[in-house]
Amino acid sequence: MQDPARHRDAYAVFQPMQTRWRDNDQFGHMYNATYLELFDEAMNMSLIDRGFLDRASGAPIMVVVENGCQFLREVAYPDRLTIGLRVAHIGRSSTRFEMGMFRADDDVESARSHFVMVTVDSATRRPVAIPDDQRAALETMRKP
């Protein structure tokens, strides 16, 4: 059973995104894999804005261990999108991100995604505790 669509106010951070002509299949709607690409891009943009993903720093990195997508309403080129993001859970080494995809100025999401990420040592790729500065940055994306 699918949860009801969320409203924009369920999310803490927003990233504008643009669909592209190549995103559509022969039936005129967006490929399933493209949804996850757009969600991933919005999440990475939000993390970069907070100092994550600097490979040269040697700081721990986050890797995806799970993701998923629910399709609620059709999205297709040339839709302009906004992807809302929130941190739903922060554990010792893992974080759960939840995102909603909104068409244009719609207040209700057209698709929903989640990504579970684990913080790992950048050299050994073994799980480590989320550093305090990263944990504080993640807290800025929490939404009750």
Side-chain angles (χ1 to χ4, degrees), residues 88-102:
H89 174 78
I90 304 173
R92 186 189 82 75
S93 64
S94 67
T95 305
R96 180 182 172 93
F97 295 91
E98 296 178 346
M99 291 166 276
M101 181 180 287
F102 298 87

Side-chain angles (χ1 to χ4, degrees), residues 4-78:
R6 294 183 185 128
H7 291 262
R8 283 181 186 264
D9 60 4
Y11 298 98
V13 177
F14 295 89
Q15 295 291 343
M17 305 297 282
Q18 174 61 56
T19 57
R20 303 153 303 184
W21 174 258
R22 69 183 179 125
D23 295 337
N24 286 1
D25 65 15
Q26 68 270 24
F27 302 111
H29 54 74
M30 198 160 70
Y31 288 107
N32 294 346
T34 303
Y35 284 83
L36 286 172
E37 288 177 13
L38 292 169
F39 281 124
D40 186 62
E41 180 72 15
M43 181 180 60
N44 285 327
M45 291 167 62
S46 298
L47 289 171
I48 289 167
D49 289 348
R50 286 160 180 78
F52 287 78
L53 305 179
D54 179 4
R55 296 185 322 183
S57 74
I61 60 172
M62 300 175 88
V63 296
V64 176
V65 296
E66 176 185 323
N67 66 21
C69 186
Q70 292 180 319
F71 307 99
L72 305 168
R73 296 186 308 169
E74 190 172 10
V75 172
Y77 176 83

